[in-house]
Amino acid sequence: MLIFELMKNQNDIAVYLNQHGIKKTAFRVELLDLFFSNSSLTQEEIKEQIKETKNKVTIYRALEAFEKKGIIHKVPDINNVMRYALCQVGCCSEEAHTHNHIHFICKSCKSTYCIEEVKIPNINLPEGYQKEGVRLTVEGVCPRC
Amino acid sequence: MLIFELMKNQNDIAVYLNQHGIKKTAFRVELLDLFFSNSSLTQEEIKEQIKETKNKVTIYRALEAFEKKGIIHKVPDINNVMRYALCQVGCCSEEAHTHNHIHFICKSCKSTYCIEEVKIPNINLPEGYQKEGVRLTVEGVCPRC
DNA sequence: ATTACAAACGCAACTTAGTTGTGTTAAAAA
DNA sequence: TTTTTAACACAACTAAGTTGCGTTTGTAAT
Ligand SMILES: [Mn+2]
Ligand SMILES: [Mn+2]
Ligand SMILES: [Zn+2]
Ligand SMILES: [Zn+2]
């Protein structure tokens, strides 16, 4: 289920935040709202589009809180800049992030997509390696470009 | 074939650099030599261990040259810091990097390994996505830890 | 409604990765 | 030996991300 099917208005967003133990400040409501219309965001892009604050620290601390509560997750960019994207509803929580989808980065428009339809295949490592997490990123051209 | 089987002494290293159109300066010989004894290196780690220069720019430009010539390749770190590792002999060149192995990052000792034995599986993307490159990174604990 | 507490905010100051330009040095080709 | 060009060093810069601290504000208890 996609999260934005649940979010009809600002009030729903505030409730969603409260359910995750996050206070509904004007900025954090606006930030979560912004994630509904963007497949992924960098701190920079957020600063450009958000009205409620221009403070980098405030943005980073909100992102940190959202991630810890299982609302968003990190996606490494093509240039090693961190991007952030929504988690599926019910997928992640304060206890653990459980998604195992791949990420697609468009070389043309620089968008980053969470491709839920494509799961990360099982990887068999050589003797002695203990696997704890896997990241799989595909680069190329997205359908819109 | 592993590159360090070929490199018996400093002179072999110099020849190898020249074959790739890179001048044999004391620093670049020392740098290439350093890669033989390290599974991967960051700019920072290089600066700590190299005697011939402490200049960040010199290091970055050497890494850039090595990568362009197909001698080393980039590996994104767990914290989005770039690491660098040797390419297999005959695998890559000035024309193209052709490796498709996975990378393993040890959470304990922070080492990054190129695991040549494990190839990146084929990924089938949804309609409309054009694949150009794939990165697969596994995090966990390495055999030595 | 008032109060009390913790979460969130804003500001300043900092660290570190990575880049760009320019003049100088030195390796290799002519 | 001379010429060419890659490589180097230095300074100055951009941008990501972090830390500490005093202030403000949301929320829940009284
Ligand atoms: Mn994702
Ligand atoms: Mn590798
Ligand atoms: Zn695109
Ligand atoms: Zn290890």
Side-chain angles (χ1 to χ4, degrees), chain A residues 104-111 113 140-145:
Chain A
F104 184 91
I105 300 178
C106 178
K107 284 184 172 176
S108 173
C109 68
K110 309 295 176 195
S111 287
Y113 301 87
V141 184
C142 81
R144 301 196 309 174
C145 290

Side-chain angles (χ1 to χ4, degrees), chain A residues 23 25 27-28 53 55 58 61:
Chain A
K23 288 182 182 172
T25 65
F27 161 59
R28 292 192 173 195
T53 190
N55 190 297
T58 301
R61 287 188 174 142

